[in-house]
Amino acid sequence: MGNADTKLHFRKAFVELSTKTKPVDPNDEEFWDQFWSDSLANAQDIFTVIPSIEIRQLRDESPNNLATLCYKSVEKLVKAVDTSCRTHQDQLVALNCIRLLTRIIPYMFEDPDWRTFFWSSLPSGQPHEDDDTLPLAKALVSALCDLLFCPDFTVSANKKSGPDKAEDLASVDSCEYIWEAGVGFATSPSHNPQHDFNRAEILKLLLACFSETIYVTPVGDALVANKWIEYFSSGENRHTLPLFTSLLNVVCSYDPVGFGVPYNHLLFNDSREPLVEAALQVLIVVLDHDTNNSCEEDTAPNMDNLFINYISRIHREEDFAFILKGFTKLLNNPLTQTYLPNSTKKIQFHQELLVFFWKMCDYNKKFLYFVLKTSDVLDILVPILYHLNDSRADQSRVGLMHIGVFILLLLSGERNFGVRLNKPYTVSLPMDIPVFSGTHADLLIIVFHKIITTGHQRLQPLFDCLLTILVNVSPYLKTLSMVSSTKILHFLEAFSTPWFLLSSPNNHHLVFFLLEIFNNIIQYQFDGNSNLVYTIIRKRHVFHGLANLATDPGSINRSLMRKSPLIKKPSKGKLDLIKETVPKERKRSSDSMTSSSLDSPSMEGSRPALPAEPGTLKVSLASIPRIDKMTEKESAHPSPQQLSQLTQTIANGISLMSHDEAAAPASKLHSPAKEEMVEGSGNDDEDRAATPTPSATDSYETHQGEGYTSASATPTKLSRSQSMPIKELNSPKSKTLSPKEKGSTSGIQLQRSFSVLSAGSESKWSPSPDWVQGWKTKLPLQTVMRLLQVLVPQVEKICIDK
């Protein structure tokens, strides 16, 4: 009953404040004390008692009362700092003021006229000091930072506690009260759940203050400085260093499982998780405020932001190990499996963790190299792939997809990452992917295949990023499984479909990426990739089709006519259209096969990726057909009927194959002019003038022309069969984007210009024979065609002998 009466009194006071026609006297302490003197159980009570419509009514109809309420709340917090929150009543008043401001401030930011309110001066009873009075915002932030290191309120007192022996917050050395042991602090303080709750309340108010940027309409590409964050992260805030270390250590030392007692999260309340989530959000918001980060590529980070300064100066390996252990522990928490269902606590802030990991790698390259030189990088890779696979069908989580892909793109530019991918994958996670036995590289390829084939249409701009990652790691992949080899060939089979190549001016770039993957693996890791070589031989008609792609106007029009019914009949989907255009023979063969991307058994305990919840954004790009509808259904292992058909075809068609290989493609392969053209295609930008290519940081420049294996750090020449004299035409070139090109300061906006668009959005563009011929002559087909030229006769002979 007492709590109900308290809420009723609070409610009446707020209604009276918003409905009074005359401003309430600021000196009427009896009235104003109703807002913070009574006990409200938690912040949720404030949100329940004060509806949003009444806050806007107060802002619009009684602005003087709203201003006085904010002034009085900040004044109470400043007084709480002056008195060091000695008593329980002082702490209660401070908490209620914090909760009230957390509720009100976002609605004040909605109105542009109110955004300058907090940067006005706090009223003072001494007029001669008006010029030196802090703005209301600085007074609020300073008071909150002081309260974050207030003994017996947010930290445990080092000295004897009590109202008569409380320390003066103005003279407290906050470096002695860092919240948790870790970076820069070795002592682990005693844990008090109430302190965690109080810290979380203060951090949420800081987040509300920092949210002003959300309500400001951007003007062009210029970044609008956030004064709140600037002051919080500047040298004017004397608590910047202990705040940074406290937030970092709390996040990295958090263990959601604890002692591992089953269902402990259902029996006991975890006071640390809300604090960790709030601390993580404050960290990434403050680290994201770098006004220099988007100007020029070579511009140094904004060192006025001391948080960025501190994170870039961490250098001790024990600190790196502590941070990396925290990342891997928290990122792998949702993947934990036990015999008892739902017996362990699962965290939900993995997206914030990935953003923080991105920021850490972006601002501290030493940390990035530390991650890459250890096998723990795979403990980062696996949860990223898990979340990418789980989020691929949910449009509301497209930001998570972007940050995950960007992290992998950043890691793939380093040689050690490609080498680590050869470690066998032995963990059995409940992922909705085909069962396979192989390495982490196989897992990477299979998940990417799942994203491209079954993801939603808003992921189309990421296709070239996904393939760029595979290009970067391809020179180091020693052994691909049959499943992953089939997936890569399936990509090429789909993206080399004539109507797909001709439906957009940029679609052919995907084929260039895939061919570069094949060339890198054949040239640098040929001996261990028999599965891929076998799959290439099986699907050699795809490569011959690319080499023989017709460029005359009639053939181009016939290819485009295949999708013309889509425009004439909007109700008819592309799935049906592609199904109708599949040749009858291939259609019959595809009907007899099972598609591994759709029908193959998934890992035990997996569930399909769920779509977005109702109310989320709809698809804004025109759809392209599912990849399995663009090709014949693929399988990792051919059925006995397929093997018999393949053997019969090879045995009966030797003369036909010999005729095909002696025709134009084979003759062109031996043309020196063609070789020179392909060798120089990387420097020819004429056909890419409309679409700027990603700037390459040549991670492999020291390895060019040398066939390095990925077994160790020491370079060794690849051994090759004497019957396969493949000339190394191309050296692997990293296509890694610089951090400035991978995204904006938030790290989650795509700035790559290659996009895979459908014909619906490219209706005004039509391919010309010169355009097709321009990029067709640059296709790097030499390596694969020479492989087929040498190995196909040997396979034919084996088939005939058997």
Side-chain angles (χ1 to χ4, degrees):
M1 285 297 295
N3 191 30
D5 292 340
T6 298
K7 293 181 182 179
L8 182 60
H9 293 158
F10 188 94
R11 173 79 180 140
K12 287 181 177 180
F14 194 85
V15 171
E16 183 179 357
L17 187 68
S18 59
T19 56
K20 276 191 173 182
T21 56
K22 294 183 180 180
V24 179
D25 185 6
N27 297 321
D28 188 359
E29 298 296 339
E30 182 179 356
F31 174 79
W32 295 108
D33 285 345
Q34 297 179 83
F35 291 102
W36 36 74
S37 295
D38 294 329
S39 175
L40 293 175
N42 49 48
Q44 189 60 38
D45 292 341
I46 296 281
F47 280 71
T48 303
V49 172
I50 309 178
S52 59
I53 188 172
E54 293 187 4
I55 301 177
R56 293 189 176 99
Q57 180 183 351
L58 175 64
R59 180 195 67 195
D60 299 334
E61 299 179 6
S62 304
N64 290 333
N65 290 341
L66 177 59
T68 304
L69 180 62
C70 293
Y71 276 128
K72 301 291 286 186
S73 299
V74 175
E75 184 182 31
K76 285 292 182 182
L77 290 175
V78 173
K79 289 183 178 179
V81 172
D82 295 338
T83 60
S84 301
C85 279
R86 286 182 170 85
T87 64
H88 176 71
Q89 183 61 27
D90 292 339
Q91 297 177 6
L92 181 62
V93 169
L95 284 176
N96 284 336
C97 290
I98 290 169
R99 293 163 181 167
L100 185 62
L101 289 173
T102 304
R103 178 60 170 162
I104 292 176
I105 285 179
Y107 296 94
M108 300 176 68
F109 288 157
E110 289 179 351
D111 191 336
D113 296 334
W114 278 94
R115 292 174 195 154
T116 58
F117 166 76
F118 284 98
W119 297 97
S120 58
S121 299
L122 185 66
S124 174
Q126 301 175 357
H128 63 278
E129 293 184 358
D130 284 352
D131 294 339
D132 298 329
T133 303
L134 281 176
L136 196 62
K138 291 187 177 182
L140 175 58
V141 172
S142 297
L144 294 177
C145 292
D146 286 334
L147 290 175
L148 284 173
F149 297 97
C150 179
D152 293 326
F153 181 53
T154 53
V155 294
S156 299
N158 293 335
K159 302 177 182 179
K160 291 183 179 180
S161 59
D164 300 332
K165 298 183 178 181
E167 297 184 64
D168 183 7
L169 290 186
S171 61
V172 165
D173 184 4
S174 51
C175 290
E176 297 179 0
Y177 292 99
I178 292 176
W179 299 348
E180 194 59 64
V183 178
F185 195 68
T187 306
S188 183
S190 59
H191 180 239
N192 188 322
Q194 188 58 46
H195 292 171
D196 288 345
F197 287 125
N198 296 342
R199 295 168 184 168
E201 297 271 14
I202 298 174
L203 292 179
K204 288 176 183 177
L205 176 53
L206 286 172
L207 283 172
C209 296
F210 297 160
S211 68
E212 181 183 2
T213 304
I214 299 176
Y215 303 94
V216 177
T217 303
V219 180
D221 296 333
L223 293 178
V224 180
N226 188 313
K227 294 182 180 180
W228 296 87
I229 301 178
E230 281 185 349
Y231 178 74
F232 178 79
S233 61
S234 68
E236 296 183 63
N237 181 5
R238 68 186 185 94
H239 299 292
T240 308
L241 179 58
L243 270 173
F244 170 76
T245 52
S246 295
L247 297 175
L248 178 63
N249 293 347
V250 160
V251 171
C252 295
S253 63
Y254 176 55
D255 184 5
V257 178
F259 293 106
V261 179
Y263 303 105
N264 61 342
H265 61 288
L266 301 179
L267 301 176
F268 308 102
N269 189 19
D270 185 5
S271 64
R272 186 51 65 95
E273 183 183 13
L275 173 62
V276 171
E277 187 169 3
L280 189 55
Q281 291 173 354
V282 170
L283 270 176
I284 60 179
V285 166
V286 178
L287 289 174
D288 189 58
H289 190 262
D290 181 10
T291 55
N292 292 342
N293 197 31
S294 62
C295 297
E296 296 181 3
E297 184 175 350
D298 298 331
T299 302
N302 181 11
M303 290 306 173
D304 292 336
N305 186 332
L306 294 182
F307 274 63
I308 297 178
N309 189 4
Y310 294 146
I311 201 172
S312 64
R313 288 167 54 187
I314 299 175
H315 62 279
R316 298 195 308 167
E317 290 214 350
E318 49 267 34
D319 292 338
F320 288 154
F322 168 75
I323 296 173
L324 181 57
K325 181 180 178 182
F327 277 125
T328 55
K329 177 173 55 182
L330 294 176
L331 285 175
N332 285 278
N333 170 260
L335 282 62
T336 305
Q337 299 184 79
T338 58
Y339 290 104
L340 299 175
N342 301 321
S343 61
T344 58
K345 185 179 183 66
K346 301 294 179 65
I347 62 171
Q348 300 298 325
F349 47 85
H350 45 270
Q351 182 164 344
E352 289 89 342
L353 279 170
L354 292 179
V355 175
F356 184 40
F357 181 81
W358 167 270
K359 289 295 180 184
M360 189 75 191
C361 294
D362 189 19
Y363 289 124
N364 195 319
K365 298 304 179 185
K366 292 181 180 179
F367 175 75
L368 173 62
Y369 300 143
F370 177 84
V371 172
L372 289 168
K373 77 177 184 180
T374 65
S375 294
D376 290 339
V377 67
L378 300 179
D379 293 331
I380 299 291
L381 169 69
V382 173
I384 290 178
L385 293 179
Y386 172 84
H387 291 303
L388 291 180
N389 182 69
D390 188 57
S391 307
R392 69 184 188 274
D394 189 347
Q395 297 182 46
S396 64
R397 291 194 282 176
V398 67
L400 174 61
M401 298 291 296
H402 279 209
I403 190 63
V405 171
F406 289 154
I407 290 175
L408 296 182
L409 188 61
L410 177 67
L411 296 177
S412 68
E414 304 297 332
R415 179 182 183 275
N416 283 343
F417 179 74
V419 174
R420 298 293 178 187
L421 289 177
N422 292 301
K423 184 178 180 181
Y425 177 74
T426 57
V427 183
S428 179
L429 293 178
M431 297 175 67
D432 183 26
I433 59 175
V435 179
F436 73 98
S437 176
T439 65
H440 285 78
D442 297 312
L443 176 67
L444 183 74
I445 295 171
I446 292 171
V447 171
F448 283 5
H449 182 270
K450 202 77 172 179
I451 292 172
I452 293 178
T453 56
T454 62
H456 57 79
Q457 300 300 326
R458 293 178 68 189
L459 299 181
Q460 291 178 17
L462 288 178
F463 285 4
D464 66 319
C465 282
L466 297 174
L467 296 185
T468 299
I469 294 170
L470 297 182
V471 171
N472 289 343
V473 302
S474 58
Y476 311 109
L477 306 184
K478 296 179 64 177
T479 306
L480 292 181
S481 68
M482 183 61 73
V483 176
S484 59
S485 299
T486 307
K487 301 301 182 187
I488 298 181
L489 262 297
H490 195 213
F491 281 148
L492 184 65
E493 187 178 5
F495 293 146
S496 63
T497 307
W499 72 261
F500 180 78
L501 287 172
L502 302 176
S503 63
S504 169
N506 298 318
N507 283 357
H508 65 279
H509 290 293
L510 302 178
V511 174
F512 276 83
F513 286 144
L514 290 167
L515 291 177
E516 189 167 354
I517 293 172
F518 294 130
N519 291 343
N520 287 340
I521 294 178
I522 292 173
Q523 293 179 16
Y524 297 94
Q525 301 292 348
F526 173 76
D527 291 342
N529 280 288
S530 57
N531 290 328
L532 180 64
V533 174
Y534 167 72
T535 310
I536 291 175
I537 295 175
R538 279 187 57 213
K539 296 287 186 179
R540 60 188 181 275
H541 65 274
V542 177
F543 300 94
H544 290 301
L546 272 175
N548 293 319
L549 183 66
T551 60
D552 59 285
S555 299
I556 293 177
N557 290 333
R558 283 193 296 272
S559 298
L560 293 176
M561 284 298 293
R562 295 186 178 184
K563 54 186 170 65
S564 60
L566 178 67
I567 302 175
K568 297 177 182 179
K569 302 176 182 179
S571 61
K572 191 171 187 178
K574 286 189 178 180
L575 298 185
D576 298 331
L577 177 64
I578 303 305
K579 187 175 181 180
E580 291 177 2
T581 58
V582 174
K584 293 182 179 180
E585 294 181 1
R586 182 174 298 181
K587 186 174 180 181
R588 285 197 298 268
S589 64
S590 64
D591 291 339
S592 63
M593 294 189 294
T594 58
S595 173
S596 64
S597 62
L598 298 176
D599 303 329
S600 60
S602 299
M603 293 191 171
E604 183 178 358
S606 65
R607 58 180 177 82
L610 299 177
E613 294 293 332
T616 55
L617 293 175
K618 298 297 182 182
V619 175
S620 59
L621 292 174
S623 62
I624 62 173
R626 290 169 62 112
I627 196 170
D628 60 286
K629 298 296 182 180
M630 297 168 61
T631 65
E632 64 175 320
K633 295 187 177 181
E634 42 90 16
S635 61
H637 302 282
S639 62
Q641 294 81 2
Q642 289 177 276
L643 284 176
S644 176
Q645 183 180 1
L646 179 64
T647 304
Q648 183 179 2
T649 301
I650 294 177
N652 294 336
I654 295 178
S655 59
L656 179 62
M657 182 58 63
S658 301
H659 173 74
D660 290 341
E661 292 183 354
S667 61
K668 289 181 181 180
L669 286 176
H670 294 284
S671 171
K674 180 66 178 289
E675 291 186 7
E676 292 176 1
M677 185 175 297
V678 174
E679 287 180 355
S681 63
N683 298 325
D684 192 344
D685 296 328
E686 292 181 358
D687 76 326
R688 304 191 185 191
T691 306
T693 59
S695 62
T697 56
D698 198 356
S699 302
Y700 312 122
E701 60 185 357
T702 58
H703 309 315
Q704 289 185 5
E706 299 176 13
Y708 284 91
T709 64
S710 56
S712 63
T714 58
T716 57
K717 285 286 184 178
L718 287 177
S719 59
R720 296 186 179 275
S721 171
Q722 296 297 327
S723 62
M724 185 179 174
I726 297 180
K727 179 181 177 182
E728 296 183 3
L729 295 176
N730 303 315
S731 60
K733 294 182 180 179
S734 170
K735 295 185 181 295
T736 309
L737 298 179
S738 64
K740 307 299 178 297
E741 294 171 311
K742 293 187 184 82
S744 64
T745 54
S746 64
I748 59 175
Q749 295 182 358
L750 185 63
Q751 292 187 349
R752 299 291 302 278
S753 58
F754 295 165
S755 60
V756 183
L757 302 175
S758 66
S761 59
E762 296 283 344
S763 57
K764 296 182 180 180
W765 178 86
S766 60
S768 64
D770 292 338
W771 173 80
V772 178
Q773 187 66 29
W775 58 260
K776 178 191 171 184
T777 56
K778 300 174 185 177
L779 287 173
L781 285 167
Q782 280 84 349
T783 301
V784 176
M785 298 301 279
R786 288 181 181 178
L787 179 143
L788 294 175
Q789 186 180 13
V790 173
L791 291 187
V792 167
Q794 298 181 22
V795 175
E796 291 172 349
K797 185 177 183 302
I798 294 174
C799 293
I800 294 174
D801 292 342
K802 288 186 177 181

